[in-house]
Amino acid sequence: MSEAHPSPEATALPPHAGLETTPGECPVVILDDGTWAVRGHADVLHVATTPEVYSSAARRHLHVPNGMDGEEHRRFRDVVDRHLDDTRILPLASMITQVCDQAVADLLEPGTVVEVLHDYGRQVAVRVQCRWLGWPESLEGELLDWIEANFAATRSGEAARNAEVAAWFDRIVTDLVDDRRRRLAAGEDLPEDPTTGLLHDTVADTAAPGGQRPLTDPELVSILRNWTAGDLGSIAACIGVVVHHVATHLEEQARLRTLSGDEEHHTEELDAAVDEMLRLNDPFPFNKRRTLQDAELAGYRVPAGTAVVVNWTAANRDERVFPEPDAYRPAEHRADNIVYGAGPHICPGRVLSTLQIRGALAALLRATTSVELDPDRPPERYPFPSRGFDTVPVVLR
């Protein structure tokens, strides 16, 4: 169906704001800055799977492949998918388990009070990423500092601060790439990791001899930034969500503790539980799009050039799909859960992310007899529309 010609019945504008309503009541609303927020489950899926109308090329800087559409996106997504294929990621499970077990051991004493995101989640995220990408252990401290600075800059809303932390991360990645290139030029045997792999990788290009060319340095840096800059804080945020859930649902904590004792044989059930916890409290509310042509969405006319945000958090709580949005039903809800997105831009790192989140939760449950919220410090939510947490202080025993 072409979206270039909205039906005559289409209404000009959706309601303004209205975020206190449910997605079923208002599947599309207009925010204060004029952006259209898509909240209904079916409408979010439609936008996510119609990139020829709702473009992801809505950023000022190079973002490979998230800020690309169509054939360009497909060419670079092929590169990313090669490195994130299950055959390469699933063998990392034992390394991730080791990292998580050690991270728990580093902080655990009887009655220990732990702030989950800062004291545990970030350590897991940084250590796993460094080991997977072959980055030096000496870099872990700087990456932890960067996560803190990035969160502070995001909270400030100041463009200059956000630009500064973005440039800082680009320098980290560029220095790593430059070092690998120098070592390669010197004839050194480089480790077989994704960072080295990208140096040797090629992307399809009809203008290049043989239809393939090496990645440029900006493209390579952008891919590595996409794999790490977003994921470091994201993994910690997800670990905060799942630990908060088990700390407030003690019966489910006991059930998952039993499964975690034999994690290898209960991955499907544990993963379904993690996905459902993230559906209930999704810390990543939206992605940006821009309409390339006039369109119709949920019965409204969307003019070409309209800024659109895909609200995954709201869609995952659409009462028309999840009749009791707050009910914890892992098996029942999993097929409709879109916490990792949908369409051509579905998260390519979802398997790696799940391994880390599940691994962190299972390691914590294996090493403890109870995980409860700290009675002296309640959790703090991250600002709306995120349903994630800024802090999750817990007592471990």
Side-chain angles (χ1 to χ4, degrees):
M1 180 182 73
S2 172
E3 296 231 10
H5 305 288
S7 65
E9 307 82 49
T11 306
L13 293 174
H16 190 80
L19 294 177
E20 70 284 354
T21 62
T22 69
E25 291 174 304
C26 290
V28 183
V29 299
I30 296 182
L31 305 180
D32 290 341
D33 64 358
T35 298
W36 288 41
V38 187
R39 308 166 70 232
H41 192 277
D43 306 295
V44 160
L45 285 177
H46 178 68
V47 170
T49 56
T50 317
E52 64 272 18
V53 177
Y54 301 95
S55 171
S56 294
R59 304 167 186 257
R60 289 178 296 173
H61 306 294
L62 178 67
H63 285 263
V64 181
N66 293 10
M68 298 173 169
D69 292 319
E71 179 61 19
E72 182 183 38
H73 173 262
R74 187 197 62 76
R75 294 188 299 112
F76 284 96
R77 180 63 185 248
D78 284 349
V79 176
V80 170
D81 285 347
R82 285 198 292 271
H83 292 277
L84 292 170
D85 185 83
D86 287 0
T87 58
R88 297 192 181 193
I89 297 303
L90 291 177
L92 300 175
S94 59
M95 177 272 286
I96 292 171
T97 296
Q98 182 182 27
V99 166
C100 294
D101 285 341
Q102 185 58 56
V104 173
D106 288 345
L107 55 83
L108 190 61
E109 293 179 6
T112 299
V113 177
V114 173
E115 199 298 292
V116 173
L117 281 82
H118 299 76
D119 299 338
Y120 183 49
R122 293 181 181 181
Q123 278 70 18
V124 168
V126 166
R127 291 174 190 175
V128 168
Q129 292 283 359
C130 284
R131 283 158 178 74
W132 170 50
L133 294 171
W135 293 2
E137 187 175 332
S138 59
L139 190 58
E140 292 179 4
E142 183 175 5
L143 290 174
L144 289 168
D145 290 342
W146 180 85
I147 294 174
E148 187 65 39
N150 187 49
F151 269 96
T154 301
R155 279 193 291 265
S156 75
E158 297 174 15
R161 289 184 67 180
N162 280 280
E164 184 179 341
V165 294
W168 178 6
F169 201 89
D170 276 6
R171 285 196 299 272
I172 293 173
V173 177
T174 299
D175 287 348
L176 288 163
V177 171
D178 288 347
D179 178 67
R180 291 289 176 97
R181 289 206 185 282
R182 283 193 296 270
R183 292 165 62 189
L184 186 64
E188 287 189 39
D189 290 329
L190 298 181
E192 295 183 5
D193 54 45
T195 305
T196 297
L198 286 172
L199 292 176
H200 298 295
D201 215 334
T202 59
V203 62
D205 187 339
T206 55
Q212 296 280 330
R213 64 166 176 81
L215 294 167
T216 66
D217 277 5
E219 291 165 352
L220 197 157
V221 168
S222 180
I223 291 172
L224 287 170
R225 180 180 61 230
N226 183 38
W227 285 350
T228 49
D231 281 353
L232 293 175
S234 299
I235 294 299
C238 289
I239 292 172
V241 166
V242 299
V243 173
H244 178 272
H245 186 93
V246 298
T248 52
H249 297 77
L250 300 185
E251 185 175 333
E252 179 66 354
Q253 180 182 145
R255 186 182 77 87
L256 295 178
R257 192 184 304 282
T258 300
L259 298 181
S260 297
D262 189 13
E263 180 184 353
E264 184 179 353
H265 293 97
H266 294 286
T267 57
E268 187 70 20
E269 197 168 356
L270 287 165
D271 288 352
V274 164
D275 285 353
E276 178 70 344
M277 294 174 197
L278 294 176
R279 183 194 69 80
L280 289 168
N281 286 295
D282 188 349
F284 316 115
F286 58 80
N287 290 122
K288 296 179 180 180
R289 300 288 194 273
R290 183 171 294 277
T291 53
L292 298 178
Q293 60 191 59
D294 292 346
E296 181 180 333
L297 186 63
Y300 299 108
R301 293 174 177 267
V302 191
T306 299
V308 173
V309 292
V310 180
N311 192 323
W312 307 104
T313 301
N316 259 332
R317 300 177 63 81
D318 187 335
E319 69 276 17
R320 295 167 298 178
V321 178
F322 309 97
E324 296 180 86
D326 289 319
Y328 173 74
R329 296 170 182 161
E332 179 181 334
H333 292 159
R334 198 174 191 197
D336 294 311
N337 190 338
I338 49 175
V339 71
Y340 286 109
H345 285 277
I346 190 171
C347 177
R350 57 196 180 278
V351 174
L352 179 59
S353 297
T354 300
L355 285 177
Q356 293 179 76
I357 301 161
R358 181 232 300 162
L361 177 62
L364 193 65
L365 294 178
R366 282 195 301 269
T368 61
T369 57
S370 75
V371 179
E372 299 181 9
L373 294 182
D374 181 357
D376 298 323
R377 287 192 300 160
E380 297 177 10
R381 288 273 187 185
Y382 203 68
F384 183 84
S386 170
R387 289 182 60 86
F389 296 91
D390 196 23
T391 63
V392 181
V394 296
V395 181
L396 307 179
R397 292 187 172 86

